[in-house]
Amino acid sequence: MTVPREIRDAIRERLWQTADRLQWDSLTQSEKARHYQQWTDSDIGRTLAAHMDARSVRVYIKDTLLKGFSRQKLNLHEGQVLRILQRHRQDVAESFIKPHGFRFSDGAFVAWGRADDWKSLLGALFERSYGTNGTTLTAFLFRAAPRYVRPSARELVEAAANRLGVATCIWYD
């Protein structure tokens, strides 16, 4: 059985509003797991169970309904990234996701994401630009608070960035 689109969309909207209110991206895995279970045991779970195997409801909530939530939130930063870099959308030669980023027509690269994902951001910039010379690499690190507010934490990330050829790390709390 499949969940009818109207029901799926209504539940997704409800979950995304709740996730937004909870600041979903700042929750720990155990906090998220608790919410998945609450949703599974609520009217949301019962509604979904009417259209699928009840044992699959929690996974469906996690992997289908909430999967795009964080990605959409990161998409909202695109304009901010372009504005701060004093670039325009027409300057973009290639777009990336996982992590989000661009290659500009002049060969410069930018990637952005949560500060907790700094290793993926820096690694992606290195990989995407590998083999190019004189390329400017910039990383935007969002939701830096609370872990990456301390200077020592940022110094570690910036030292890794420097070793990988990333010219600039821009932090947002």
Side-chain angles (χ1 to χ4, degrees):
M1 295 178 92
T2 60
V3 179
R5 183 179 9 189
E6 310 79 47
I7 292 173
R8 182 191 65 228
D9 291 349
I11 291 174
R12 178 185 292 129
E13 178 66 27
R14 183 173 163 194
L15 290 174
W16 282 27
Q17 286 176 356
T18 302
D20 202 28
R21 186 175 38 80
L22 293 170
Q23 296 183 335
W24 189 255
D25 288 335
S26 65
L27 298 180
T28 65
Q29 292 301 322
S30 61
E31 290 169 329
K32 289 179 181 180
R34 190 179 75 242
H35 288 289
Y36 291 139
Q37 194 59 50
Q38 288 172 351
W39 292 328
T40 300
D41 294 340
S42 73
D43 63 315
I44 291 171
R46 289 187 292 277
T47 301
L48 292 171
H51 302 283
M52 66 173 47
D53 184 334
R55 296 171 294 187
S56 301
V57 168
R58 184 183 186 283
V59 172
Y60 183 80
I61 290 170
K62 180 181 182 284
D63 292 346
T64 302
L65 297 178
L66 279 172
K67 185 174 186 147
F69 178 78
S70 295
R71 187 175 299 156
Q72 182 188 1
K73 286 295 194 184
L74 284 173
N75 283 340
L76 298 176
H77 293 297
E78 179 179 306
Q80 184 178 11
V81 167
L82 290 170
R83 190 171 48 260
I84 290 169
L85 293 177
Q86 297 180 342
R87 301 283 192 143
H88 302 283
R89 191 70 171 99
Q90 59 265 28
D91 297 333
V92 175
E94 190 174 4
S95 294
F96 304 99
I97 59 169
K98 291 189 177 182
H100 285 67
F102 295 134
R103 180 179 59 81
F104 294 105
S105 54
D106 65 359
F109 287 84
V110 64
W112 66 91
R114 293 181 49 213
D116 285 341
D117 297 329
W118 67 268
K119 292 175 190 171
S120 296
L121 290 169
L122 300 181
L125 283 168
F126 179 80
E127 182 179 0
R128 291 169 184 168
S129 67
Y130 185 76
T132 61
N133 292 330
T135 301
T136 302
L137 308 178
T138 303
F140 279 80
L141 301 125
F142 290 97
R143 293 190 165 277
R147 186 171 177 189
Y148 293 96
V149 173
R150 293 186 335 273
S152 61
R154 290 186 181 191
E155 287 170 10
L156 171 70
V157 174
E158 290 172 358
N162 190 343
R163 286 199 175 190
L164 291 171
V166 176
T168 308
C169 290
I170 299 172
W171 298 88
Y172 283 92
D173 299 326

